[in-house]
Amino acid sequence: MNFSKIGFIMATLGSSIGLGHIWRFPTMAGQNGGGAFILLFLVISVVIGVSMLISEMLVGNRTRKNAQDAFYELDESSHKRWHWVGLTIVGGPIILTFYCIVLGWVVYYLGAISFHLPTNMSDSKILFENLTQNITAQVISFAIVMILTAYFVAKGVKSGIEKLNFVLMPLLFIIFFGLLIYAMTLPSFDKSVNFMFAIDFSKITSKVLIEAMGQVFFSLSLGIGIIVTYAAFTEKKQNLFSAAMWVLIPGIIISIVAGLMIFTFVFEYGTAKDVGEGTGLVFKTLPVLFGKMGSIGSVICVLFMIGLGFAGLSSTISLLEPAVKWLEDKTGKNRVMLSWGVSLVIFLVGFVLILSLNEGYKELTIAGKNLFKWMDWLSANIIMTLGGLLATIFVGYAIKTEHLREWTSHYFTPIMFKFWLFAIRVLAPLMVGAIFIYNIYDLLNPKPAEHTKAPQQQEQNVHNKDQTDQH
């Protein structure tokens, strides 16, 4: 069964609004000049992000097939090798092996920490470190996430994915807009607005540009077959430009809302050294800030973790669907069996990654990084970027221009079509290529680890670090 028009938008929106929008976006903004980063993010989203999104939608919409077969059918070359691009769907299950572990941490914090919030950063760090060393707690939380993911994918796109996103997406926006309204009542809301929207053009550097491009790329779920697969369940005459805008704009809105809310809490209840350090924002800094709010802090923490959980679950479902759809088409087996089977494999690999986080399993470390970090790096920096680059080049160069014009004529004017073609042939490959090269360079030239500082010294540097992040 196909998605309805609004169902396709909701499902695609659900795939893009994940943990990255809610903690990666504020993290990137905090590290990269606030308003300068956000300006670049908005411009690149509109100029390049939408173009790439439409390209992947077009591949699925025209063929109505799984990612690999979709590329094969549209391949107009004699060698017919472009179908290998579709195998980047393996990125979804790979990402799930660690993404569901992180989402499991959210589940754990929701149930075990929300009403026992830490009162200082030292206690908060100890709580999080204890969790990463608690194999049993992580496995149980991880299992809960995987069971929910497999259950909804097994029910199919119409009965499972579409219905769930019709519930989760509105609830997610209600929760975060509610938290934003509360943040607006606090004196530090003005500081948050100034930090996010006051633009210092001197802060726009090559690093900030690369980070903004990376955030656009990852926030749209590009490069791993999700968009191609979801678009395969759409009507042939679906307005893909309109659908892409409906995915992009709410995603930007929820990112801005999350940033305003989080930075308000940061400025109001104490500076936050870890605001720009990924997991530290959600699992170390915010619990302390919520704890300083008093009794209402526990309520806000529960709502925040529920919203984060909703966003994460909609993404995990999207990450599993392309692989299940591919196996369903290739084997003819039952979707239910395939969903639970693939999820079991993911769970077993994820169990090994959980062990790699534990101090007792040092053998699960390669070149100073545990397997959890390697799986994260491989999926985000190799599979997604390479898949996105190849998919864009395929649409831009392997399909005849007259065919692209014919397929997009009902929503692109001639001028819009020319700009879109320029974006996917020139701008998008340059952007993704720059991200890929930067990530490889970053791997070969690692930055000195900051964790060598004593916890007490880190505590003393909190205020200085926060001021640095703000500027």
Short mmCIF file of all heavy atoms in Angstrom, two decimals, residues 339-386:
data_model
loop_
_atom_site.label_atom_id
_atom_site.label_comp_id
_atom_site.label_asym_id
_atom_site.label_seq_id
_atom_site.Cartn_x
_atom_site.Cartn_y
_atom_site.Cartn_z
N SER A 339 11.53 -8.12 9.27
CA SER A 339 11.71 -7.01 10.21
C SER A 339 12.33 -7.49 11.52
O SER A 339 13.29 -6.89 12.03
CB SER A 339 10.37 -6.32 10.50
OG SER A 339 9.82 -5.78 9.32
N TRP A 340 11.79 -8.57 12.06
CA TRP A 340 12.31 -9.10 13.32
C TRP A 340 13.67 -9.75 13.12
O TRP A 340 14.54 -9.66 14.00
CB TRP A 340 11.32 -10.08 13.93
CG TRP A 340 10.10 -9.40 14.47
CD1 TRP A 340 8.86 -9.36 13.88
CD2 TRP A 340 10.00 -8.65 15.67
NE1 TRP A 340 8.00 -8.62 14.66
CE2 TRP A 340 8.66 -8.17 15.76
CE3 TRP A 340 10.89 -8.31 16.68
CZ2 TRP A 340 8.21 -7.39 16.82
CZ3 TRP A 340 10.45 -7.55 17.75
CH2 TRP A 340 9.12 -7.10 17.81
N GLY A 341 13.89 -10.38 11.96
CA GLY A 341 15.18 -11.01 11.69
C GLY A 341 16.31 -10.01 11.58
O GLY A 341 17.38 -10.18 12.20
N VAL A 342 16.10 -8.93 10.79
CA VAL A 342 17.13 -7.90 10.66
C VAL A 342 17.36 -7.21 12.00
O VAL A 342 18.51 -6.92 12.37
CB VAL A 342 16.72 -6.86 9.59
CG1 VAL A 342 17.73 -5.71 9.54
CG2 VAL A 342 16.60 -7.51 8.22
N SER A 343 16.29 -6.98 12.74
CA SER A 343 16.42 -6.34 14.05
C SER A 343 17.23 -7.20 15.02
O SER A 343 18.00 -6.66 15.84
CB SER A 343 15.04 -6.06 14.65
OG SER A 343 14.32 -5.14 13.85
N LEU A 344 17.08 -8.51 14.93
CA LEU A 344 17.86 -9.40 15.80
C LEU A 344 19.35 -9.29 15.48
O LEU A 344 20.18 -9.23 16.39
CB LEU A 344 17.39 -10.84 15.61
CG LEU A 344 18.16 -11.90 16.43
CD1 LEU A 344 18.06 -11.61 17.93
CD2 LEU A 344 17.65 -13.30 16.10
N VAL A 345 19.69 -9.25 14.18
CA VAL A 345 21.09 -9.11 13.79
C VAL A 345 21.65 -7.78 14.31
O VAL A 345 22.77 -7.71 14.84
CB VAL A 345 21.24 -9.19 12.25
CG1 VAL A 345 22.68 -8.87 11.84
CG2 VAL A 345 20.83 -10.57 11.75
N ILE A 346 20.87 -6.70 14.14
CA ILE A 346 21.28 -5.38 14.63
C ILE A 346 21.51 -5.42 16.14
O ILE A 346 22.48 -4.87 16.66
CB ILE A 346 20.23 -4.32 14.27
CG1 ILE A 346 20.18 -4.11 12.76
CG2 ILE A 346 20.52 -2.99 14.98
CD1 ILE A 346 19.00 -3.28 12.29
N PHE A 347 20.60 -6.10 16.84
CA PHE A 347 20.72 -6.19 18.29
C PHE A 347 21.99 -6.92 18.70
O PHE A 347 22.69 -6.48 19.63
CB PHE A 347 19.49 -6.91 18.87
CG PHE A 347 19.54 -7.07 20.36
CD1 PHE A 347 19.20 -6.02 21.19
CD2 PHE A 347 19.93 -8.28 20.93
CE1 PHE A 347 19.25 -6.16 22.59
CE2 PHE A 347 19.99 -8.43 22.31
CZ PHE A 347 19.65 -7.37 23.14
N LEU A 348 22.33 -8.00 18.01
CA LEU A 348 23.53 -8.77 18.35
C LEU A 348 24.80 -7.94 18.12
O LEU A 348 25.72 -7.96 18.94
CB LEU A 348 23.58 -10.06 17.52
CG LEU A 348 22.47 -11.08 17.84
CD1 LEU A 348 22.54 -12.25 16.88
CD2 LEU A 348 22.57 -11.56 19.30
N VAL A 349 24.83 -7.19 16.99
CA VAL A 349 25.98 -6.32 16.73
C VAL A 349 26.03 -5.20 17.77
O VAL A 349 27.09 -4.86 18.29
CB VAL A 349 25.92 -5.74 15.30
CG1 VAL A 349 27.07 -4.75 15.08
CG2 VAL A 349 25.98 -6.85 14.27
N GLY A 350 24.86 -4.64 18.07
CA GLY A 350 24.78 -3.58 19.06
C GLY A 350 25.26 -4.03 20.43
O GLY A 350 25.88 -3.26 21.18
N PHE A 351 24.98 -5.29 20.77
CA PHE A 351 25.44 -5.84 22.04
C PHE A 351 26.97 -5.79 22.13
O PHE A 351 27.54 -5.43 23.17
CB PHE A 351 24.95 -7.28 22.20
CG PHE A 351 25.44 -7.96 23.45
CD1 PHE A 351 24.95 -7.60 24.70
CD2 PHE A 351 26.43 -8.94 23.38
CE1 PHE A 351 25.41 -8.22 25.85
CE2 PHE A 351 26.89 -9.56 24.52
CZ PHE A 351 26.38 -9.21 25.77
N VAL A 352 27.64 -6.11 21.02
CA VAL A 352 29.10 -6.05 20.98
C VAL A 352 29.57 -4.60 21.15
O VAL A 352 30.55 -4.33 21.84
CB VAL A 352 29.64 -6.64 19.66
CG1 VAL A 352 31.16 -6.49 19.59
CG2 VAL A 352 29.25 -8.11 19.54
N LEU A 353 28.84 -3.66 20.54
CA LEU A 353 29.20 -2.25 20.67
C LEU A 353 29.04 -1.77 22.11
O LEU A 353 29.84 -0.96 22.60
CB LEU A 353 28.35 -1.39 19.74
CG LEU A 353 28.44 -1.67 18.23
CD1 LEU A 353 27.71 -0.60 17.45
CD2 LEU A 353 29.89 -1.75 17.79
N ILE A 354 28.01 -2.26 22.79
CA ILE A 354 27.82 -1.92 24.20
C ILE A 354 29.00 -2.43 25.02
O ILE A 354 29.52 -1.74 25.90
CB ILE A 354 26.49 -2.51 24.72
CG1 ILE A 354 25.31 -1.73 24.14
CG2 ILE A 354 26.44 -2.46 26.25
CD1 ILE A 354 23.95 -2.32 24.46
N LEU A 355 29.45 -3.66 24.71
CA LEU A 355 30.61 -4.20 25.41
C LEU A 355 31.85 -3.34 25.16
O LEU A 355 32.67 -3.15 26.07
CB LEU A 355 30.89 -5.64 24.94
CG LEU A 355 29.85 -6.70 25.28
CD1 LEU A 355 30.29 -8.06 24.75
CD2 LEU A 355 29.60 -6.78 26.78
N SER A 356 31.96 -2.80 23.93
CA SER A 356 33.15 -2.00 23.60
C SER A 356 33.21 -0.71 24.40
O SER A 356 34.29 -0.12 24.55
CB SER A 356 33.17 -1.69 22.10
OG SER A 356 32.28 -0.65 21.76
N LEU A 357 32.07 -0.25 24.92
CA LEU A 357 32.05 0.95 25.76
C LEU A 357 32.54 0.67 27.18
O LEU A 357 32.90 1.58 27.91
CB LEU A 357 30.62 1.51 25.84
CG LEU A 357 30.05 2.13 24.56
CD1 LEU A 357 28.55 2.38 24.73
CD2 LEU A 357 30.76 3.43 24.22
N ASN A 358 32.53 -0.61 27.54
CA ASN A 358 32.88 -1.00 28.90
C ASN A 358 34.39 -1.11 29.07
O ASN A 358 35.09 -1.62 28.19
CB ASN A 358 32.20 -2.34 29.23
CG ASN A 358 32.28 -2.67 30.70
OD1 ASN A 358 33.30 -3.17 31.17
ND2 ASN A 358 31.20 -2.41 31.42
N GLU A 359 34.87 -0.62 30.20
CA GLU A 359 36.31 -0.63 30.48
C GLU A 359 36.88 -2.05 30.52
O GLU A 359 38.09 -2.25 30.32
CB GLU A 359 36.59 0.07 31.81
CG GLU A 359 36.31 1.56 31.82
CD GLU A 359 37.27 2.33 30.94
OE1 GLU A 359 38.41 1.84 30.73
OE2 GLU A 359 36.91 3.41 30.45
N GLY A 360 36.04 -3.04 30.75
CA GLY A 360 36.52 -4.41 30.85
C GLY A 360 36.74 -5.09 29.51
O GLY A 360 37.17 -6.25 29.46
N TYR A 361 36.44 -4.39 28.41
CA TYR A 361 36.58 -5.00 27.08
C TYR A 361 37.47 -4.13 26.20
O TYR A 361 37.08 -3.70 25.11
CB TYR A 361 35.20 -5.19 26.44
CG TYR A 361 34.35 -6.21 27.16
CD1 TYR A 361 33.56 -5.84 28.25
CD2 TYR A 361 34.36 -7.55 26.77
CE1 TYR A 361 32.78 -6.78 28.93
CE2 TYR A 361 33.58 -8.49 27.44
CZ TYR A 361 32.81 -8.10 28.51
OH TYR A 361 32.04 -9.03 29.18
N LYS A 362 38.68 -3.91 26.64
CA LYS A 362 39.64 -3.08 25.92
C LYS A 362 40.02 -3.68 24.57
O LYS A 362 40.46 -2.98 23.66
CB LYS A 362 40.91 -2.90 26.75
CG LYS A 362 40.74 -2.07 28.01
CD LYS A 362 40.50 -0.60 27.67
CE LYS A 362 40.52 0.26 28.93
NZ LYS A 362 40.25 1.68 28.60
N GLU A 363 39.83 -5.02 24.42
CA GLU A 363 40.18 -5.66 23.15
C GLU A 363 39.26 -5.23 22.01
O GLU A 363 39.58 -5.44 20.84
CB GLU A 363 40.14 -7.18 23.30
CG GLU A 363 38.77 -7.77 23.63
CD GLU A 363 38.49 -7.84 25.13
OE1 GLU A 363 39.19 -7.14 25.90
OE2 GLU A 363 37.58 -8.59 25.51
N LEU A 364 38.12 -4.60 22.35
CA LEU A 364 37.18 -4.12 21.33
C LEU A 364 37.50 -2.67 20.96
O LEU A 364 36.60 -1.85 20.77
CB LEU A 364 35.74 -4.26 21.83
CG LEU A 364 35.28 -5.68 22.13
CD1 LEU A 364 33.86 -5.69 22.69
CD2 LEU A 364 35.37 -6.56 20.88
N THR A 365 38.78 -2.37 20.87
CA THR A 365 39.26 -1.03 20.54
C THR A 365 40.25 -1.12 19.39
O THR A 365 41.12 -1.99 19.38
CB THR A 365 39.94 -0.37 21.76
OG1 THR A 365 38.98 -0.25 22.83
CG2 THR A 365 40.46 1.01 21.42
N ILE A 366 40.10 -0.23 18.41
CA ILE A 366 41.00 -0.20 17.26
C ILE A 366 41.54 1.23 17.13
O ILE A 366 40.77 2.18 17.05
CB ILE A 366 40.27 -0.60 15.96
CG1 ILE A 366 39.69 -2.01 16.09
CG2 ILE A 366 41.22 -0.51 14.76
CD1 ILE A 366 38.83 -2.42 14.90
N ALA A 367 42.86 1.34 17.09
CA ALA A 367 43.52 2.64 16.92
C ALA A 367 43.01 3.69 17.90
O ALA A 367 42.80 4.85 17.54
CB ALA A 367 43.35 3.13 15.49
N GLY A 368 42.78 3.27 19.13
CA GLY A 368 42.38 4.20 20.17
C GLY A 368 40.89 4.49 20.24
O GLY A 368 40.44 5.20 21.13
N LYS A 369 40.11 3.95 19.28
CA LYS A 369 38.66 4.15 19.29
C LYS A 369 37.96 2.82 19.52
O LYS A 369 38.33 1.80 18.92
CB LYS A 369 38.18 4.73 17.95
CG LYS A 369 38.45 6.19 17.73
CD LYS A 369 37.78 6.67 16.44
CE LYS A 369 38.00 8.15 16.21
NZ LYS A 369 37.31 8.62 14.99
N ASN A 370 36.93 2.84 20.39
CA ASN A 370 36.16 1.61 20.57
C ASN A 370 35.25 1.37 19.37
O ASN A 370 35.07 2.26 18.53
CB ASN A 370 35.36 1.64 21.88
CG ASN A 370 34.39 2.81 21.95
OD1 ASN A 370 33.64 3.07 21.02
ND2 ASN A 370 34.41 3.53 23.08
N LEU A 371 34.70 0.18 19.27
CA LEU A 371 33.88 -0.19 18.11
C LEU A 371 32.65 0.69 17.98
O LEU A 371 32.18 0.95 16.86
CB LEU A 371 33.48 -1.66 18.20
CG LEU A 371 34.61 -2.68 18.11
CD1 LEU A 371 34.05 -4.10 18.13
CD2 LEU A 371 35.46 -2.45 16.85
N PHE A 372 32.10 1.14 19.09
CA PHE A 372 30.94 2.04 19.06
C PHE A 372 31.29 3.30 18.28
O PHE A 372 30.55 3.72 17.38
CB PHE A 372 30.53 2.39 20.49
CG PHE A 372 29.38 3.35 20.60
CD1 PHE A 372 28.08 2.88 20.71
CD2 PHE A 372 29.58 4.73 20.58
CE1 PHE A 372 27.01 3.77 20.81
CE2 PHE A 372 28.53 5.61 20.67
CZ PHE A 372 27.23 5.13 20.79
N LYS A 373 32.42 3.93 18.60
CA LYS A 373 32.82 5.16 17.92
C LYS A 373 33.17 4.91 16.45
O LYS A 373 32.88 5.74 15.59
CB LYS A 373 34.02 5.79 18.65
CG LYS A 373 33.66 6.36 20.01
CD LYS A 373 34.87 7.01 20.66
CE LYS A 373 34.50 7.60 22.02
NZ LYS A 373 35.68 8.21 22.70
N TRP A 374 33.77 3.75 16.17
CA TRP A 374 34.11 3.44 14.78
C TRP A 374 32.86 3.25 13.93
O TRP A 374 32.81 3.69 12.78
CB TRP A 374 34.97 2.17 14.71
CG TRP A 374 36.43 2.45 14.86
CD1 TRP A 374 37.25 2.06 15.88
CD2 TRP A 374 37.27 3.20 13.96
NE1 TRP A 374 38.53 2.52 15.68
CE2 TRP A 374 38.58 3.21 14.51
CE3 TRP A 374 37.03 3.85 12.76
CZ2 TRP A 374 39.64 3.86 13.88
CZ3 TRP A 374 38.10 4.51 12.13
CH2 TRP A 374 39.38 4.50 12.68
N MET A 375 31.85 2.59 14.49
CA MET A 375 30.61 2.38 13.74
C MET A 375 29.92 3.72 13.47
O MET A 375 29.40 3.95 12.37
CB MET A 375 29.67 1.45 14.51
CG MET A 375 28.61 0.80 13.66
SD MET A 375 29.27 -0.39 12.49
CE MET A 375 29.43 -1.83 13.53
N ASP A 376 29.95 4.60 14.44
CA ASP A 376 29.41 5.95 14.29
C ASP A 376 30.15 6.68 13.18
O ASP A 376 29.55 7.25 12.26
CB ASP A 376 29.55 6.69 15.63
CG ASP A 376 28.93 8.08 15.59
OD1 ASP A 376 28.45 8.50 14.53
OD2 ASP A 376 28.94 8.76 16.63
N TRP A 377 31.47 6.66 13.24
CA TRP A 377 32.29 7.39 12.25
C TRP A 377 32.10 6.81 10.84
O TRP A 377 31.94 7.55 9.87
CB TRP A 377 33.76 7.31 12.63
CG TRP A 377 34.64 8.16 11.77
CD1 TRP A 377 34.97 9.47 11.96
CD2 TRP A 377 35.26 7.78 10.53
NE1 TRP A 377 35.76 9.92 10.93
CE2 TRP A 377 35.95 8.91 10.04
CE3 TRP A 377 35.30 6.59 9.80
CZ2 TRP A 377 36.68 8.87 8.85
CZ3 TRP A 377 36.02 6.57 8.61
CH2 TRP A 377 36.70 7.70 8.15
N LEU A 378 32.10 5.49 10.71
CA LEU A 378 31.98 4.85 9.41
C LEU A 378 30.67 5.20 8.72
O LEU A 378 30.65 5.54 7.53
CB LEU A 378 32.09 3.33 9.57
CG LEU A 378 31.88 2.49 8.31
CD1 LEU A 378 33.01 2.73 7.32
CD2 LEU A 378 31.79 1.00 8.66
N SER A 379 29.58 5.14 9.46
CA SER A 379 28.27 5.39 8.85
C SER A 379 28.09 6.85 8.46
O SER A 379 27.65 7.17 7.36
CB SER A 379 27.15 4.96 9.81
OG SER A 379 27.22 5.69 11.01
N ALA A 380 28.46 7.76 9.37
CA ALA A 380 28.23 9.18 9.13
C ALA A 380 29.20 9.77 8.11
O ALA A 380 28.81 10.59 7.27
CB ALA A 380 28.33 9.96 10.44
N ASN A 381 30.46 9.33 8.15
CA ASN A 381 31.49 9.97 7.35
C ASN A 381 31.84 9.25 6.06
O ASN A 381 32.44 9.85 5.16
CB ASN A 381 32.76 10.13 8.20
CG ASN A 381 32.53 10.99 9.42
OD1 ASN A 381 31.93 12.05 9.33
ND2 ASN A 381 32.97 10.53 10.56
N ILE A 382 31.51 7.99 5.95
CA ILE A 382 31.81 7.25 4.73
C ILE A 382 30.54 6.85 3.99
O ILE A 382 30.30 7.27 2.85
CB ILE A 382 32.65 5.99 5.05
CG1 ILE A 382 33.96 6.38 5.72
CG2 ILE A 382 32.91 5.20 3.76
CD1 ILE A 382 34.89 7.22 4.86
N ILE A 383 29.70 6.05 4.63
CA ILE A 383 28.54 5.49 3.94
C ILE A 383 27.55 6.58 3.51
O ILE A 383 27.13 6.64 2.36
CB ILE A 383 27.84 4.44 4.82
CG1 ILE A 383 28.79 3.25 5.05
CG2 ILE A 383 26.54 3.95 4.16
CD1 ILE A 383 28.24 2.20 5.99
N MET A 384 27.18 7.46 4.45
CA MET A 384 26.18 8.49 4.13
C MET A 384 26.71 9.50 3.12
O MET A 384 26.03 9.83 2.14
CB MET A 384 25.74 9.21 5.41
CG MET A 384 24.87 8.38 6.32
SD MET A 384 24.24 9.32 7.73
CE MET A 384 23.02 10.35 6.95
N THR A 385 27.92 9.99 3.34
CA THR A 385 28.45 11.01 2.44
C THR A 385 28.72 10.44 1.05
O THR A 385 28.39 11.06 0.04
CB THR A 385 29.74 11.64 3.00
OG1 THR A 385 30.64 10.60 3.39
CG2 THR A 385 29.45 12.51 4.19
N LEU A 386 29.29 9.24 0.99
CA LEU A 386 29.57 8.62 -0.30
C LEU A 386 28.27 8.28 -1.02
O LEU A 386 28.13 8.50 -2.23
CB LEU A 386 30.41 7.36 -0.10
CG LEU A 386 30.99 6.71 -1.37
CD1 LEU A 386 31.87 7.70 -2.11
CD2 LEU A 386 31.76 5.44 -1.01
#
